[in-house]
Amino acid sequence: MRCRHAGDIIKLTVLSALTLGLAQIPVNALEAVTLRISIKDHRFQPSELKVPANRPITLAVRNLDPTPEEFESRTLRVEKVVAGNSEITIQLRPLSPGRYRFYGDFNEATAQGALIAE
Amino acid sequence: MIGAVIIVFREVIEAGLIVGIVLAATHGVSGRTRWIGLGIGGGIGGAALLAAFAGTVSDAIGGAGQELFNASVLGIAVVMLAWHNIWMARHGREMASHARAVGQAITSGTKPLSALAFVAGIAVLREGSEIVLFLYGLMLSSGSPGSSLLAGGVIGLVLGCGLSVVTYLGLLTIPPRYLFGVTSALITFLAAGMAAQCVYYLEQANIVTILSARLWNTSEILSEKSVMGRVLHTLVGYSDQPTAMQGLAYIFTLAAIFVLGKILSSPSPSCPPPVPESHRHRLVNE
């Protein structure tokens, strides 16, 4: 009987985990601002970008190089691969005012940039 | 060249440690070389495929393909690790009393072995695809600096394999009767850290948005991207600025594995463990 009981606990755990997951579908009240940057010769263009604070942001990163890059930022909490000659979009949550550094993980020496939220 | 060594080695740390732990956890199990080899081989193949289709994966599911892919494989790995530990908690005791038959007994349940092989494969897949992309980028940039960078990348890879071996041999210095407990604990923390990382990708994809407050920020003291940070990130799930939701996922996973392991490790006579009759006889006879 004990095993039966344990089975029920597993089921309950899985169910509650699923419900918890479903309850988190996002609702963004404010419309996102779309901004674009590109990567050329392992550098970001523009390398500094002013963005509105406290609004969700859609950041489109286009890689004009044939080589892949990884767009990464600790403060923005993003790690995303951008294949050569292609584009990715990143959804950022509303930022409090400040400077948010980002970089290209595969070419960190040159690929440096920052978002300035104000 | 040193730069390339460091970049590749940094990426390979996580997979290297996980493979080392998996090897130690399956020490003495017959057939494990084949299983884990299969897992790693599959991971390398998958990594190459994933790298080749990086653009396609990115564009999938409204541009959140990469995040959802990472979150999914991490989620699967958590379930596999949890299941392995719970299975071992259930059958570990009976096998421990027949120490010499342990190998055979686990072979009779190749399932937990396949789970660990899968986890090794997933670790190689996730880290490997980035390494493939990085090395591919190096190859595209022509000229002699390119090839010396490439050599650096290969050295980084070899160092990563070395880390697996060191982890494995290091764990084997633990007396056999404690080894099982140590690898079980390592696997539990590995699972909890992966659950938190899974939440990280769901947050990046904007799917999980609640409980997003940062619990702490220790990036100045120990960056998660440093070598030490990465080692701790893999082993105990260290994060330099985790969200409350990540913390919750971490604690929930630790608790779930621990509690389920405890509940299921005491089979009562009314409900015998699902070991086939033939194998049980063999165990007793030996």
Side-chain angles (χ1 to χ4, degrees), chain A residues 2-3 5-7 9-10, chain B residues 86 89-90 256-268:
Chain A
R2 186 117 188 220
C3 286
H5 178 61
I9 290 180
I10 299 178
Chain B
I86 293 165
R90 192 171 170 71
I257 296 177
F258 185 74
V259 171
L260 288 176
K262 278 272 176 257
I263 293 172
L264 295 172
S265 70
S266 45
S268 60

Side-chain angles (χ1 to χ4, degrees), chain B residues 47-104:
Chain B
L49 268 180
L50 187 60
F53 294 102
T56 319
V57 173
S58 250
D59 293 339
I61 325 171
Q66 251 182 67
E67 287 90 346
L68 290 177
F69 178 82
N70 274 308
S72 310
V73 289
L74 283 165
I76 295 169
V78 171
V79 172
M80 294 272 179
L81 290 172
W83 180 65
H84 169 268
N85 260 24
I86 293 165
W87 194 97
M88 290 304 278
R90 192 171 170 71
H91 302 287
R93 188 174 303 166
E94 62 204 58
M95 291 186 307
S97 52
H98 303 91
R100 289 187 59 197
V102 167
Q104 244 178 345

Side-chain angles (χ1 to χ4, degrees), chain B residues 5 8-9 12-21 23 40 153-171 231:
Chain B
V5 174
V8 172
F9 180 65
V12 99
I13 287 173
E14 185 170 336
L17 284 171
I18 290 175
V19 169
I21 292 170
L23 282 174
I40 296 172
V154 173
I155 293 173
L157 270 179
V158 172
L159 285 177
C161 298
L163 183 65
S164 279
V165 174
V166 168
T167 308
Y168 173 54
L169 295 179
L171 284 170
V231 169

Side-chain angles (χ1 to χ4, degrees), chain B residues 37 72 121 134 145 239-240:
Chain B
S72 310
F134 175 70
S239 171
D240 55 19

Side-chain angles (χ1 to χ4, degrees), chain B residues 16-273:
Chain B
L17 284 171
I18 290 175
V19 169
I21 292 170
V22 164
L23 282 174
T26 55
H27 179 65
V29 179
S30 59
R32 64 109 182 226
T33 315
R34 187 163 44 93
W35 274 103
I36 295 169
L38 219 64
I40 296 172
I44 293 171
L49 268 180
L50 187 60
F53 294 102
T56 319
V57 173
S58 250
D59 293 339
I61 325 171
Q66 251 182 67
E67 287 90 346
L68 290 177
F69 178 82
N70 274 308
S72 310
V73 289
L74 283 165
I76 295 169
V78 171
V79 172
M80 294 272 179
L81 290 172
W83 180 65
H84 169 268
N85 260 24
I86 293 165
W87 194 97
M88 290 304 278
R90 192 171 170 71
H91 302 287
R93 188 174 303 166
E94 62 204 58
M95 291 186 307
S97 52
H98 303 91
R100 289 187 59 197
V102 167
Q104 244 178 345
I106 301 179
T107 319
S108 76
T110 41
K111 284 173 182 172
L113 187 54
S114 64
L116 284 192
F118 200 84
V119 168
I122 281 175
V124 172
L125 168 71
R126 288 190 58 237
E127 309 286 309
S129 69
E130 283 189 22
I131 294 168
V132 171
L133 282 171
F134 175 70
L135 293 180
Y136 170 70
L138 288 184
M139 273 194 278
L140 281 191
S141 27
S142 53
S144 57
S147 57
S148 102
L149 282 173
L150 203 59
V154 173
I155 293 173
L157 270 179
V158 172
L159 285 177
C161 298
L163 183 65
S164 279
V165 174
V166 168
T167 308
Y168 173 54
L169 295 179
L171 284 170
L172 285 195
T173 60
I174 296 169
R177 64 205 155 107
Y178 299 124
L179 181 62
F180 171 69
V182 171
T183 55
S184 291
L186 282 172
I187 284 173
T188 306
F189 281 104
L190 212 62
M194 283 182 171
Q197 188 66 13
C198 174
V199 169
Y200 174 93
Y201 284 111
L202 292 176
E203 287 174 337
Q204 184 177 315
N206 251 5
I207 290 168
V208 172
T209 52
I210 58 160
L211 299 175
S212 61
R214 305 286 158 86
L215 291 178
W216 62 74
N217 184 351
T218 47
S219 53
E220 298 294 318
I221 304 164
L222 179 61
S223 165
E224 200 179 312
K225 292 292 160 183
S226 65
V227 168
M228 199 55 214
R230 275 172 195 261
V231 169
L232 287 176
H233 175 74
T234 307
L235 292 183
V236 294
Y238 171 74
S239 171
D240 55 19
Q241 34 188 329
T243 61
M245 192 66 199
Q246 281 186 285
L248 197 67
Y250 184 85
I251 291 167
F252 178 83
T253 309
L254 277 188
I257 296 177
F258 185 74
V259 171
L260 288 176
K262 278 272 176 257
I263 293 172
L264 295 172
S265 70
S266 45
S268 60
S270 66
C271 194

